[in-house]
């Protein structure tokens, strides 16, 4: 009989498994993938698939353990000429983000039936039903339910079989009819043909004789394959054209994936990154070079820098190049966002922060007073704030914290501002963090009326909650810190939320000018498809990329965006390199556009296709590669300001000149 209290033991183990935390090899997280059982002999109910980090002191905490019953699917990518080691993406039935694991001990010469991902499947099959999807090659379903079976296991027929099934001849009468009958099968097979061609080309270029014979390797997006196929006849209406439009967007995504993988590989191999990115080299000598290789700032390191009397310019460069650990942001961001001045006097810092806490409490008390008379803007903001808070995505682990839930609910009830759950939910309360977010946002609306730097803001505007969430998680739920960080953010971005949208128009116009100066080919293309309004960048700028990256990546972006322009007039040392620039968020946006320019120009034909493609990039981008490209673009623009024969618009020169 199985022993229910047997110590956990490994049923299957795979060593040399890695999580790629960033595009750089030095950031890879090594560990062991295993199936562990709490019973002996093992049963399906007692087994869990887990990843244990080799270094238990690694602060990134990437270890996980999922019961087999929680697994939903595995996506396998075997070793290939593009990626010399295979990977497996593990997805669960809940809202946990998928995890991609790389098997470094395998190479492209490994037997395709005996690499890490295949060994994982073999280990799972005795304990779970593992079924290959017929619709999505490489996807394996784990214990699929009826809905997944219907979606993924339906038989796939070729076009001729469909025609025979209808009792019709499969021989077309005209050339146009032939094109109509075969377009779906062409589209279905096109990606397989081009993938094989791409892999064959990469394999050819990997041959040292070929590399020596030809001077320069084509870029990752150069290919002889056309973006088509194209319509021969449109007699059947617009539906067929829509299929081709969708195919072009799909091919653009696929081409960008191949280009991105090539870029990641070359970065991992420490090639000339700036040459790869097609941008001006980034200065790497001196202190800046040392900072790039230093670990992220911890709270202890930050306090040490403050106590040593370092000026804001030096502090900013540390933040920009190194980043900040998640635990340290609550200590660093109030200084970075200008809420309290950076000073070496610890007692003075403490006194200033206590004053900020008192000011927050006084402001919050105004709307908590049931007899207080609130302005019409503030009163009308309550409903909009709560609706947006209910839409907040609570998937981040911080929102799973339950400590203080009862106190938050009681505080909400006592405030006189009733905040009900979603209609029809049947619950009497929601996640208590949403009450805290709404408290901060309403307090901000009151405060904005008295802050001259926030002039023009009248009440709550949709999108402010996105910014507040970033601050709230970074400050670990500390309401005064969250509030003051939000104030600092809105002092910079508040113009984007004024009702006449003058701030957004100004930002997009400047981005358009940057595009014309630094990426003229994409500018010309967008002009041709009537896309120079840059509508697809509106959300990026409004909520500062909150909806384009995972929350931890958004916080890293904000580290760099604010640090890029942080300095103080009283700094004793005048750095020729700092502040790096103003409005670094525009260079981030330009970096995203430039990194996809070749694919967009080559494969897409209309503004709608561009819009669809750009929106599909959300949560698919590497924040570290984007930051490096954005920094290089700043130096490229700086170089043009120093060129005697180059005339720049004053608005562009002002971005990079002190």
């Amino acid at each position: 009989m199985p022993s229910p209290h047997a110590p956990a033991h490994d049923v299957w183990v795979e060593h040399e498994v890695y999580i790629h935390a960033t595009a750089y090899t030095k950031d890879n997280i090594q560990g062991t993938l295993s199936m562990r059982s709490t019973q002996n002999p093992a049963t399906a109910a007692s087994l869990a698939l887990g990843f244990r980090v080799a270094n238990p002191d690694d602060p990134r905490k990437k270890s996980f353990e999922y019961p087999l019953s929680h697994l939903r699917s595995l996506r396998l990518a075997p070793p290939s000429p593009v990626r010399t080691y295979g990977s497996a993406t593990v997805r669960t039935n809940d809202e946990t983000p998928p995890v991609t694991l790389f098997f470094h001990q395998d190479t492209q010469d490994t037997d395709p039936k005996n690499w890490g991902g295949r060994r994982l499947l073999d280990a799972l099959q005795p304990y779970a039903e593992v079924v290959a999807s017929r619709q999505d090659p490489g996807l394996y379903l784990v214990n699929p339910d009826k809905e997944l079976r219907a979606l993924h296991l339906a038989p796939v027929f070729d076009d001729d079989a469909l025609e025979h099934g209808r009792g019709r001849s499969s021989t077309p009468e005209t050339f146009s009819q032939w094109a109509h009958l075969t377009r779906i099968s062409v589209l279905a097979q096109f990606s397989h043909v081009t993938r094989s061609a791409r892999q064959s080309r990469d394999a050819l270029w990997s041959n040292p004789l070929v590399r020596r014979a030809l001077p320069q390797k084509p870029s990752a997006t150069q290919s002889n394959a056309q973006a088509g196929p194209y319509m021969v006849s449109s007699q059947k209406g617009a539906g067929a054209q829509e299929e081709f439009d969708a195919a072009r967007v799909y091919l653009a995504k696929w081409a960008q994936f191949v280009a991105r993988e090539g870029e990641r590989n070359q970065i991992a191999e420490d090639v000339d990154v700036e040459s790869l990115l097609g941008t001006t080299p980034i200065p790497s000598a001196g202190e800046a070079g040392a900072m790039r290789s230093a670990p992220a700032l911890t709270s202890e390191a930050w306090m040490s820098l403050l106590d040593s009397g370092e000026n804001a310019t030096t502090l900013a460069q540390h933040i920009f190049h190194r980043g900040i650990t998640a635990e340290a942001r609550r200590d660093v961001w109030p200084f970075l966002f200008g809420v309290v001045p950076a000073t070496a006097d610890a007692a003075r810092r403490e006194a200033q922060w206590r004053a900020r806490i008192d000011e927050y409490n006084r402001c919050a008390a105004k709307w908590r007073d049931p007899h207080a008379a609130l302005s019409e803007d503030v009163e009308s903001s309550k409903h909009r704030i709560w609706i947006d808070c209910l839409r907040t995505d609570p998937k981040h682990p911080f929102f799973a914290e339950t400590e203080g839930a009862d106190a938050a609910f009681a505080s909400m009830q006592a405030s006189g501002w009733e905040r009900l759950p979603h209609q029809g939910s049947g619950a009497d309360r929601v996640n208590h963090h949403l009450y805290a977010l709404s408290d901060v946002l309403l307090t901000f609306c009151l405060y904005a009326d008295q802050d001259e730097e926030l002039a023009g803001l009248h009440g709550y505007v949709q999108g402010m909650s996105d910014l507040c969430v970033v601050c709230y998680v970074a400050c670990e739920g500390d309401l005064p810190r969250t509030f003051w960080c939000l104030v600092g953010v809105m002092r910079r971005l508040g113009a984007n939320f004024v009702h006449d949208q003058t701030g957004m128009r100004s930002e997009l116009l400047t981005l358009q000018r940057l595009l014309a100066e630094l990426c003229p080919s994409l500018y010309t293309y967008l002009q041709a498809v009537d896309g120079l309004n840059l509508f697809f960048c509106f959300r990026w700028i409004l909520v500062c990329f909150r909806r384009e990256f995972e929350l931890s990546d958004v916080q890293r972006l904000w580290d760099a965006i604010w640090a890029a322009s942080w300095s103080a007039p009283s700094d004793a040392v005048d750095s020729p390199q700092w502040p790096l620039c103003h409005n670094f968020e525009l260079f981030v946006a330009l970096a995203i556009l430039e990194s996809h320019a070749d694919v967009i120009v080559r494969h897409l034909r209309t503004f709608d296709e561009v819009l669809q493609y750009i929106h599909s990039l959300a949560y698919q981008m590497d924040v570290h590669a984007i930051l490096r490209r954005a920094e290089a673009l700043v130096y490229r623009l700086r170089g043009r300001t120093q060129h005697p024969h180059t005339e720049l618009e004053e608005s562009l020169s002002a971005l990079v000149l002190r």
Side-chain angles (χ1 to χ4, degrees):
M1 293 182 62
S3 173
H5 303 294
H9 63 283
D10 291 334
V11 175
W12 171 84
V13 179
E14 182 79 18
H15 299 285
E16 295 295 318
V17 180
Y18 289 76
I19 291 177
H20 292 184
T22 71
Y24 301 95
T25 304
K26 64 183 179 65
D27 294 330
N28 289 351
I29 302 172
Q30 182 182 0
T32 301
L33 184 65
S34 65
M35 286 172 53
R36 293 173 64 83
S37 174
T38 56
Q39 293 183 2
N40 191 10
T43 65
S46 70
L47 279 169
L49 179 68
F51 176 81
R52 296 195 296 274
V53 176
N55 178 11
D57 297 325
D58 192 318
R60 291 172 288 185
K61 302 185 185 304
K62 292 294 185 179
S63 296
F64 65 81
E65 189 168 277
Y66 302 139
L68 255 58
S69 59
H70 288 193
L71 296 183
R72 178 184 178 88
S73 67
L74 299 172
R75 180 176 295 281
L76 303 188
S80 70
V82 176
R83 171 70 73 183
T84 56
Y85 33 80
S87 66
T89 300
V90 182
R91 188 179 294 273
T92 63
N93 287 315
D94 55 23
E95 300 298 333
T96 304
V99 180
T100 301
L101 306 166
F102 294 86
F103 301 88
H104 280 211
Q105 63 181 348
D106 300 314
T107 67
Q108 65 186 78
D109 299 323
T110 301
D111 183 352
K113 296 182 180 180
N114 189 32
W115 65 282
R118 179 59 62 178
R119 290 192 291 272
L120 172 59
L121 285 185
D122 293 341
L124 280 172
Q125 284 174 338
Y127 304 98
E129 182 184 13
V130 182
V131 183
S133 169
R134 295 182 180 178
Q135 308 295 332
D136 192 350
L139 181 66
Y140 293 83
L141 310 175
V142 181
N143 297 324
D145 55 21
K146 290 183 179 180
E147 183 178 352
L148 281 178
R149 288 178 183 275
L151 182 63
H152 288 274
L153 303 184
V156 179
F157 301 99
D158 60 30
D159 293 334
D160 287 345
L162 287 173
E163 295 301 324
H164 284 302
R166 295 171 184 160
R168 295 167 53 187
S169 170
S170 61
T171 304
E173 297 178 359
T174 66
F175 183 71
S176 294
Q177 184 183 4
W178 171 85
H180 172 69
L181 292 175
T182 59
R183 69 177 184 273
I184 297 177
S185 60
V186 170
L187 292 174
Q189 297 301 321
F190 189 75
S191 64
H192 298 294
V193 173
T194 50
R195 183 186 299 273
S196 299
R198 179 81 65 173
Q199 292 181 350
S200 299
R201 187 204 68 184
D202 289 341
L204 179 64
W205 277 105
S206 66
N207 188 302
L209 294 176
V210 176
R211 286 205 298 264
R212 285 198 295 268
L214 295 178
Q216 185 176 2
K217 181 177 179 178
S219 67
T221 54
Q222 287 176 341
S223 169
N224 291 325
Q226 64 178 18
Y230 300 99
M231 280 291 294
V232 178
S233 171
S234 58
Q235 295 176 2
K236 294 294 182 179
Q241 183 61 51
E242 291 174 359
E243 291 173 10
F244 284 94
D245 292 345
R248 281 200 294 270
V249 175
Y250 167 78
L251 289 171
K253 294 178 186 177
W254 174 80
Q256 181 56 33
F257 168 77
V258 173
R260 185 172 64 246
E261 287 297 295
E263 181 177 300
R264 285 169 61 94
N265 284 337
Q266 294 186 56
I267 290 176
E269 294 166 6
D270 295 325
V271 299
D272 182 355
V273 177
E274 279 66 54
S275 173
L276 169 67
L277 300 180
T279 51
T280 302
I282 299 173
S284 58
E287 291 186 7
M291 290 178 187
R292 293 181 205 281
S293 58
L297 279 170
T298 62
S299 292
E300 293 76 13
W302 171 251
M303 290 304 173
S304 177
L305 287 171
L306 280 180
D307 293 339
S308 67
E310 290 286 7
N311 57 61
T313 294
T314 303
L315 296 175
Q317 292 182 74
H318 276 281
I319 294 171
F320 184 90
H321 295 305
R322 299 171 60 180
I324 309 169
T325 62
E327 296 76 13
R329 285 196 175 94
R330 57 174 282 130
D331 299 319
V332 179
W333 273 15
F335 296 97
L336 180 61
F337 294 166
V339 175
V340 289
T343 173
D345 188 336
R348 185 181 172 194
R349 293 198 303 264
E350 181 64 25
Q352 289 172 333
W353 187 243
R354 282 199 303 269
R356 291 299 191 196
I357 293 175
D358 292 342
E359 188 173 1
Y360 166 77
N361 290 332
R362 286 194 301 271
C363 196
K366 292 180 181 178
W367 66 263
R368 289 183 179 278
D369 182 356
H371 304 293
L374 302 179
S375 69
E376 183 179 348
D377 287 332
V378 174
E379 194 65 49
S380 63
S381 294
K382 288 182 177 180
H383 176 71
R384 297 195 299 274
I385 288 172
W386 186 237
I387 290 299
D388 271 10
C389 286
L390 287 175
R391 293 170 179 160
T392 300
D393 184 2
K395 294 178 184 177
H396 192 278
F398 182 76
F399 285 91
E401 295 288 338
T402 58
E403 184 179 353
D406 291 337
F409 184 66
S411 175
M412 181 276 293
Q413 290 180 312
S415 70
W417 177 17
E418 186 178 25
R419 284 160 272 183
L420 299 175
H422 288 287
Q423 187 174 4
S425 67
D428 64 339
R429 62 176 73 181
V430 298
N431 188 304
H432 72 283
H433 293 288
L434 303 186
Y435 298 131
L437 284 172
S438 58
D439 285 356
V440 171
L441 287 166
L442 188 60
T443 306
F444 172 79
C445 291
L446 271 171
Y447 177 82
D449 289 339
Q450 64 190 47
D451 190 323
E452 293 182 358
E453 295 185 61
L454 297 172
L457 290 178
H458 302 289
Y460 177 82
V461 179
Q462 188 175 26
M464 291 181 181
S465 64
D466 289 282
L467 304 178
C468 189
V469 166
V470 181
C471 299
Y472 182 74
V473 174
C475 295
E476 299 177 344
D478 184 314
L479 297 193
R481 288 180 187 271
T482 301
F483 170 79
W484 285 112
C485 285
L486 179 63
V487 169
V489 168
M490 291 303 294
R491 283 173 177 169
R492 174 169 178 157
L493 303 180
N496 297 342
F497 291 87
V498 297
H499 291 300
D500 62 4
Q501 295 190 342
T502 52
M504 282 300 303
R505 283 203 297 270
S506 175
E507 292 278 81
L508 292 175
L509 181 59
T510 304
L511 179 57
Q512 184 188 104
R513 290 168 177 164
L514 281 172
L515 192 65
E517 182 65 35
L518 300 179
C519 193
S521 61
L522 183 58
Y523 178 91
T524 302
Y525 167 83
L526 291 175
Q527 189 174 40
V529 298
D530 198 22
L532 281 181
N533 54 24
L534 301 181
F535 178 73
F536 40 80
C537 299
F538 187 94
R539 186 177 71 184
W540 297 358
I541 305 302
L542 181 68
V543 295
C544 206
F545 306 99
R546 165 66 182 91
R547 302 185 188 180
E548 315 311 317
F549 296 88
E550 297 292 347
L551 190 53
S552 59
D553 288 342
V554 175
Q555 291 170 343
R556 177 65 187 99
L557 270 178
W558 285 22
D559 294 344
I561 287 171
W562 265 265
S565 58
W566 189 28
S567 65
S570 59
D571 284 355
V573 179
D574 184 31
S575 170
Q577 300 295 342
W578 220 264
L580 178 67
C581 68
H582 303 285
N583 297 80
F584 187 63
E585 63 272 15
L586 297 183
F587 289 92
V588 172
L590 182 61
I592 296 173
L593 292 175
E594 191 202 42
S595 65
H596 295 269
D598 288 344
V599 172
I600 291 172
V601 172
R602 180 178 179 81
H603 292 282
L604 305 181
R605 296 289 176 268
T606 67
F607 175 74
D608 287 344
E609 290 178 4
V610 175
L611 188 65
Q612 181 183 351
Y613 176 79
I614 292 293
H615 283 178
S616 74
L617 299 178
Y619 302 101
Q620 305 298 320
M621 296 178 284
D622 186 320
V623 69
H624 303 283
I626 293 297
L627 280 175
R628 189 153 186 169
R629 186 185 290 268
E631 184 184 2
L633 287 168
V634 172
Y635 283 108
R636 188 196 298 181
L637 188 62
R638 274 193 182 182
R640 298 196 179 187
T641 64
Q642 299 164 2
H643 197 284
H645 303 295
T646 301
E647 292 186 6
L648 283 180
E649 289 192 34
E650 185 177 347
S651 61
L652 297 186
S653 299
L655 292 176
V656 293
L657 296 179
R658 297 191 63 176

